Amino acid sequence: MPLRKSRSSAVEKALSPEEQQAKINEVRRMIGPLSEAMPDFCSDASISRYLRSRNWNAEKASKMLKETVKWRLKYKPEAIRWEDVAHEAATGKIYRADYFDKYGRSVLVMRPGFQKEGKLSSTESTVRKAEDVVSSMLAKGFVLSKDALKRAILG
């Protein structure tokens, strides 16, 4: 099996289209009925992205996809509406785009650097923004992953 250098510094397996499809089918078997719960999210293209991110390791890709699908089924991020986040627009950091996604939903664009604050220092402002977003999401019942919290802390 040949290897090729990916855009990142890691070495990535280069699989033939037949091998790729076999891996996709293997992941689909491993996730079982979850693929039927969210068929659009478990398409061949989506599964392929998970496989590539895990260097074509079907076990790791299926574990990651299972967790994602379970989270999406539990918290329904696609159900977020403008009314849920409109208060953030007053700060200048979020706006509703003048176009829609492929399902006809409004696209919300978040620009944390544009939030209008008082005379806080840059560091204080950044910390306040992170706290505001996290507390707002938690108040609405969202649960943040450890990765999201680490990213928020590390900037």
Side-chain angles (χ1 to χ4, degrees):
M1 177 177 314
L3 298 175
R4 68 179 172 91
K5 190 86 165 171
S6 69
R7 280 182 238 149
S8 68
S9 60
V11 175
E12 180 180 307
K13 293 179 185 177
L15 301 178
S16 70
E18 295 80 20
E19 291 171 315
Q20 290 179 16
Q21 189 59 50
K23 290 282 189 178
I24 290 168
N25 293 339
E26 184 179 349
V27 168
R28 188 165 273 121
R29 278 192 302 276
M30 292 171 104
I31 62 173
L34 280 179
S35 66
E36 293 150 17
M38 294 191 78
D40 291 340
F41 200 74
C42 296
S43 65
D44 283 1
S46 182
I47 293 172
S48 177
R49 284 191 293 276
Y50 280 84
L51 281 163
R52 281 194 312 273
S53 75
R54 294 295 173 243
N55 204 17
W56 295 97
N57 182 316
E59 189 174 309
K60 288 180 180 180
S62 65
K63 180 181 176 188
M64 189 168 120
L65 183 57
K66 277 181 191 177
E67 293 302 315
T68 301
V69 170
K70 285 178 185 177
W71 183 88
R72 291 183 73 85
L73 287 170
K74 184 174 181 179
Y75 297 105
K76 301 178 184 358
E78 68 279 358
I80 297 172
R81 299 290 178 251
W82 176 250
E83 297 75 33
D84 300 331
V85 294
H87 65 281
E88 297 290 346
T91 66
K93 70 178 174 182
I94 191 169
Y95 68 92
R96 192 172 3 189
D98 58 355
Y99 52 87
F100 301 96
D101 71 1
K102 67 181 180 178
Y103 299 108
R105 299 176 296 207
S106 295
V107 174
L108 303 179
V109 180
M110 187 170 180
R111 304 175 303 171
F114 284 82
Q115 180 167 338
K116 298 175 185 96
E117 289 286 340
K119 295 182 178 178
L120 297 176
S121 73
S122 175
T123 304
E124 291 172 323
S125 177
T126 302
V127 170
R128 166 118 5 120
K129 288 176 201 173
E131 289 172 348
D132 289 347
V133 170
V134 170
S135 62
S136 175
M137 291 177 76
L138 293 174
K140 293 193 181 311
F142 289 93
V143 175
L144 301 176
S145 72
K146 290 178 186 173
D147 288 343
L149 292 174
K150 285 179 192 172
R151 287 187 194 131
I153 292 168
L154 298 175

